[in-house]
Amino acid sequence: VVACNTFDTQAGDPFTITVLHTNDIHGRISEYPHADWNQMAGGFARLAAAVQDVRAQNPNTLLFDAGDLFSGTAICSLTEGRAVLLGAALTGYDAIVLGNHEFDYGQDLLTQYIEHSAIPLISANIQRRANGSPYAPGYVFFELNDVTIMVIGLTTPTTVTASHPHNVVGLKFMAPMPVVRRLQNHYANDYDVLIVLSHLGQEADRKLAADLAGIDLIIGGHSHSKLEEPVQVKDTTIVQAYQWGLYLGRVDLHMEGTSIQATSTTLLPMDEHIKPNPMVESILESWVQTTSHVLLQEVVGYVPEAVTRSAAWWVGDSPLGNLVTDALLWSTDADFALYNSGGLRADLAAGPVTLEDLYRVEPFGSSIRTLELSGRQVEQVFRHMAARGGEQISGATYTVVGSLPEDITIQGMPLAANERYTLAVSDFLAAGGSNYWMLPRAELLNDFGLVRDAIGAFLLAHPHYVPAAHGRIRWRRP
């Protein structure tokens, strides 16, 4: 048990327990312009004000985050998550589950955060391989008006490929269902309400609820799902609040004694109708200004038109994917360059490109590596790329047919099994990230600088470069 918070409230029957929740904030500690709403939105100061208002109405209120607080903004990367944890503490979170991106700044640093954070950082399905000990506290208990609530944290097992492999060395991510069932059996007489704080994704949450009885509420993350209405699977209610702090999810558990009689949910938009908490805003903005303002506003390049990512799966190459892979190829003089589409995190607006813009595009601090591969290994790379719906490429072309690659060319020539090729990739992929299992087996040639630095240098050296989709990746139905 990590902690037990007791709120001094009048016991009553019936009464309401309110559970507030967010997920996938991805480093957005400050408010930002929301194009669809045409106004400022999000930010911990606004969340803090909304939470404070709810708690003033109902002291029996808990606040949780379902993971991926980290990675997505420059301030998060520059402070290695510290600014985000500060924002969460000021907002008043009661527990946070570890998402895959909490590992982005390394296992050693995350271990420090787990051991010393004022907020419980929990996950029940991560073990140390050496001795089977838990990597983090798995659960937390709360006592509200004589109702005992157990909250179990779960982290997606895909973290082994969704984070840099070096960040999860020595850790085992276990299947969620047996872990929850074991804790249910062990603590069956110790709680009245069971909440799973899940960074598994909506489909995995549905499966967990279908396979395992006795979970009252699953608060989800990872899939960035906007559940305006809850998903009900048997007796389990599943909720999720989209992304980036745009919404504060609210679940009201209407209690009689220690039993839930009814559940109601809503998503509260964090727009300008909610005035940010001025104290929280002042503290966080001073942190942002002190840490990053001058550095991040440095102009590193220019693009004449917006540079966008692929809008959906199976759509071929994108302007941003081509820019990034062209930068990798230019920086290394490799035969071809590869970048995973999911690693491109933001578009570039037309006009000057600042260092802050590059942090948004590539917030992970990945570096570049070159690998030597045989023709056979290159074929394995392209098979994996095609199975993933197509990945961004430079110096090569290919066609995805069903889930297989055809018509592969490297530097304009058909792929040859007896040739050897040099590939430029991020260190994340070189280490086997995104399940590129064949790349750690390739020969490492050189280490280069950061991906974001290569993009900036490429733009500076190519002032008239116009990124566009050029049909490097084609798609044909089988």
Side-chain angles (χ1 to χ4, degrees), residues 51-369:
V51 171
Q52 186 178 28
D53 184 59
V54 173
R55 282 181 163 152
Q57 300 170 35
N58 182 13
N60 293 316
T61 295
L62 296 168
L63 172 62
F64 301 125
D65 184 83
D68 275 6
L69 275 174
F70 291 176
S71 289
T73 63
I75 185 63
C76 185
S77 296
L78 287 171
T79 63
E80 296 183 304
R82 293 178 181 87
V84 182
L85 288 177
L86 172 62
L90 292 169
T91 303
Y93 281 86
D94 293 293
I96 298 167
V97 70
L98 299 179
N100 50 290
H101 283 292
E102 269 62 77
F103 288 86
D104 283 351
Y105 306 119
Q107 190 181 139
D108 290 344
L109 188 60
L110 181 57
T111 300
Q112 291 181 32
Y113 293 161
I114 292 168
E115 292 175 349
H116 301 294
S117 172
I119 308 167
L121 305 176
I122 65 173
S123 181
N125 65 318
I126 309 176
Q127 286 184 347
R128 291 185 173 88
R129 289 185 178 276
N131 55 18
S133 64
Y135 174 67
Y139 48 87
V140 59
F141 283 95
F142 299 92
E143 189 81 18
L144 298 179
N145 209 25
D146 295 327
V147 175
T148 303
I149 301 171
M150 184 180 187
V151 180
I152 299 173
L154 295 174
T155 303
T156 174
T158 64
T159 300
V160 295
T161 56
S163 187
H164 195 297
H166 292 170
N167 294 338
V168 294
V169 168
L171 298 181
K172 178 181 181 181
F173 291 77
M174 297 175 291
M177 194 269 284
V179 171
V180 176
R181 182 169 55 192
R182 185 173 65 251
L183 290 172
Q184 281 179 305
N185 293 337
H186 186 79
Y187 291 104
N189 299 319
D190 297 326
Y191 64 84
D192 304 303
V193 174
L194 179 60
I195 297 174
V196 169
L197 191 55
S198 159
H199 196 79
L200 300 176
Q202 185 187 165
E203 291 306 311
D205 290 341
R206 288 173 182 258
K207 186 176 189 309
L208 180 65
D211 292 345
L212 197 60
I215 302 173
D216 296 296
L217 176 65
I218 296 178
I219 297 172
H222 189 51
S223 56
H224 297 230
S225 303
K226 183 183 176 183
L227 297 183
E228 297 182 271
E229 296 293 334
V231 173
Q232 195 69 34
V233 179
K234 297 182 179 178
D235 293 329
T236 301
T237 301
I238 302 172
V239 296
Q240 195 173 148
Y242 193 35
Q243 63 183 8
W244 302 351
L246 283 171
Y247 293 91
L248 177 64
R250 175 171 179 162
V251 182
D252 288 310
L253 305 176
H254 304 288
M255 310 293 298
E256 288 188 10
T258 58
S259 299
I260 301 172
Q261 298 303 307
T263 301
S264 56
T265 72
T266 189
L267 292 181
L268 307 172
M270 294 295 101
D271 57 22
E272 289 181 356
H273 290 95
I274 299 172
K275 302 304 179 186
N277 180 303
M279 185 189 75
V280 175
E281 187 174 48
S282 175
I283 293 171
L284 292 179
E285 285 309 305
S286 66
W287 185 295
V288 171
Q289 295 294 325
T290 301
T291 304
S292 62
H293 179 72
V294 174
L295 172 66
L296 294 178
Q297 298 315 306
E298 177 187 353
V299 175
V300 296
Y302 177 87
V303 290
E305 57 189 55
V307 186
T308 58
R309 298 163 290 169
S310 296
W313 201 251
W314 298 104
V315 293
D317 54 315
S318 68
L320 185 61
N322 288 350
L323 167 61
V324 172
T325 53
D326 284 351
L328 265 61
L329 200 64
W330 174 79
S331 300
T332 62
D333 199 28
D335 295 314
F336 70 112
L338 157 66
Y339 206 84
N340 55 309
S341 299
L344 304 175
R345 307 300 282 197
D347 300 334
L348 288 174
V353 177
T354 66
L355 184 57
E356 184 172 18
D357 294 326
L358 296 186
Y359 267 97
R360 292 194 185 103
V361 170
E362 201 290 308
F364 311 115
S366 298
S367 59
I368 307 169
R369 291 187 174 179

Side-chain angles (χ1 to χ4, degrees), residues 12-24:
D13 187 10
F15 65 100
T16 299
I17 293 173
T18 298
V19 181
L20 304 175
H21 59 98
T22 57
N23 57 277
D24 298 284

Side-chain angles (χ1 to χ4, degrees), residues 426-448:
S426 67
D427 61 335
F428 167 66
L429 294 184
S434 291
N435 209 27
Y436 276 89
W437 54 268
M438 71 297 298
L439 294 184
R441 303 179 182 182
E443 181 182 353
L444 174 64
L445 297 178
N446 284 300
D447 289 312
F448 293 83

